[in-house]
Amino acid sequence: MNDIRTLYRRFALGATLMTLIAALLRVPSLCLFFDRTVGYCDSNVFSTLLYIVVPLFLLLCAAYVILARKCEKTQRRAISPDVTVKTKTVLIASILATLVFVGVVAWEAVNYTATSYEALLRIVGALLAAVYFAVPNKQKVMVLGLGTHLYCVFVLVTEYFDWTIPMNSPLKTMQQAAMIAVLLFMTVELNHLNDTRRSIRYTVCAALALFFGFSCSISFVAAYPLGGIVRTDVLVHSLPALAVALYALARIFSYHVIDIPNEQEQPPEEMIADQESEPSLDDQEGPATAPDESSPTESDSAPQASPTTPEEDHPSHG
């Protein structure tokens, strides 16, 4: 893999393919083998294979980080996902995410109770997130992207303290993994709006959001009408993760190659530290002092015809 563009394309296709494999394994596991009375899945081959795919995907991400950094150093080029809405896929994904968050706001409002402060904060977070995804120029509404963080945090709080679901149930663990992946991606997304140099970190976090968000949410969507899960709140809480996963997928495949200037070989903080530690030319020559009247100047030091002394006019003899 000599070209960073080729490396990036292979990683994007590999991450997408492994996401689809994980989803195809999780859907039958949840639909056919989930026991609602105990909150666990019965032993099945799909769950076993899923536990193999997850670490393989993490190894793929680690390998991409190592190889991409090596390519950036040797080729002085980097892959930067496009952070502005310039493609139809990103535009469609943004509209879909907006509609999903608006629907979540409506559902939460209908089922809201005065004693549920978590639901109120989820409504506020989903509303802010809907506005963020609706605006094409996200640099102007970057702060509204924190609404996604607010929503995901209180979904995690609600799911964690839901004692009706066992702590290590696949319903809870996969939901938590999806929300954490979305939180991580959106954090990097907001940072990437101002600093596109962190392209490797953005790409990997987008792949994590795609893998965990899509495989978790799509299995809930498929299992709910088949009776695999009967909790409507679990389904609704997972839909934003599905929307953000599709948004991350659109970002991954909307990219451009950027050149890395030579001054970026060293982080700005280290460059500043080196400049402060290295003495300047003036410091090496010594502090500048005002010219002394008693010391000869350049004009005084120039060779001049000095008057002859009596000894020179009348040399002594013997």
Side-chain angles (χ1 to χ4, degrees):
M1 297 181 185
N2 297 325
D3 186 18
I4 192 171
R5 190 192 298 268
T6 303
L7 174 65
Y8 182 88
R9 288 176 177 174
R10 291 182 179 180
F11 172 73
L13 291 175
T16 305
L17 179 61
M18 296 189 75
T19 300
L20 293 176
I21 292 174
L24 291 176
L25 292 174
R26 181 165 165 77
V27 168
S29 176
L30 196 60
C31 293
L32 302 178
F33 298 96
F34 183 72
D35 189 352
R36 294 193 303 271
T37 59
V38 295
Y40 296 97
C41 290
D42 297 331
S43 179
N44 61 91
V45 65
F46 301 104
S47 297
T48 304
L49 293 176
L50 180 62
Y51 295 143
I52 298 175
V53 172
V54 173
L56 288 178
F57 172 78
L58 297 178
L59 288 176
L60 175 66
C61 293
Y64 173 75
V65 171
I66 296 172
L67 295 176
R69 286 182 176 177
K70 183 178 179 181
C71 289
E72 286 187 358
K73 290 181 180 179
T74 56
Q75 302 179 16
R76 308 305 305 162
R77 303 174 75 195
I79 295 291
S80 178
D82 197 353
V83 294
T84 58
V85 179
K86 294 182 180 179
T87 62
K88 292 182 179 180
T89 53
V90 175
L91 181 61
I92 294 173
S94 299
I95 294 174
L96 177 62
T98 302
L99 295 176
V100 168
F101 276 105
V102 169
V104 169
V105 169
W107 186 88
E108 293 279 7
V110 170
N111 295 274
Y112 172 73
T113 58
T115 58
S116 178
Y117 73 92
E118 298 99 336
L120 179 61
L121 293 173
R122 288 197 303 267
I123 291 173
V124 174
L127 187 60
L128 295 176
V131 177
Y132 172 80
F133 286 106
V135 176
N137 190 355
K138 292 180 171 42
Q139 286 88 345
K140 294 183 178 180
V141 293
M142 187 169 56
V143 67
L144 299 181
L146 295 174
T148 309
H149 296 71
L150 185 63
Y151 178 83
C152 292
V153 165
F154 281 95
V155 167
L156 287 171
V157 171
T158 303
E159 298 288 343
Y160 183 83
F161 291 102
D162 186 357
W163 306 119
T164 62
I165 301 176
M167 188 60 66
N168 57 348
S169 170
L171 292 181
K172 182 173 290 188
T173 55
M174 288 300 293
Q175 182 84 297
Q176 291 173 343
M179 291 298 151
I180 293 174
V182 169
L183 274 172
L184 187 62
F185 168 69
M186 289 304 300
T187 301
V188 180
E189 160 95 352
L190 299 181
N191 178 260
H192 197 67
L193 293 175
N194 291 327
D195 184 8
T196 58
R197 294 176 299 174
R198 309 286 185 175
S199 56
I200 298 177
R201 183 177 65 181
Y202 183 87
T203 303
V204 172
C205 291
L208 291 172
L210 171 65
F211 182 85
F212 289 102
F214 184 84
S215 61
C216 170
S217 303
I218 201 67
S219 61
F220 288 163
V221 173
Y224 185 78
L226 297 178
I229 59 174
V230 295
R231 295 278 300 273
T232 306
D233 57 338
V234 173
L235 172 65
V236 173
H237 292 165
S238 68
L239 292 179
L242 176 61
V244 175
L246 296 176
Y247 175 80
L249 177 64
R251 286 292 195 210
I252 291 175
F253 285 96
S254 301
Y255 64 91
H256 58 276
V257 181
I258 59 175
D259 295 327
I260 302 177
N262 291 329
E263 55 266 23
Q264 290 188 4
E265 292 181 357
Q266 192 176 24
E269 295 82 5
E270 297 181 4
M271 294 175 64
I272 294 174
D274 291 344
Q275 291 176 0
E276 292 177 351
S277 61
E278 293 180 358
S280 61
L281 184 60
D282 294 337
D283 296 335
Q284 295 175 359
E285 293 179 353
T289 58
D292 190 359
E293 294 180 356
S294 62
S295 61
T297 60
E298 293 182 358
S299 60
D300 295 336
S301 62
Q304 296 178 356
S306 59
T308 59
T309 60
E311 289 78 11
E312 292 175 344
D313 292 337
H314 305 283
S316 62
H317 298 282

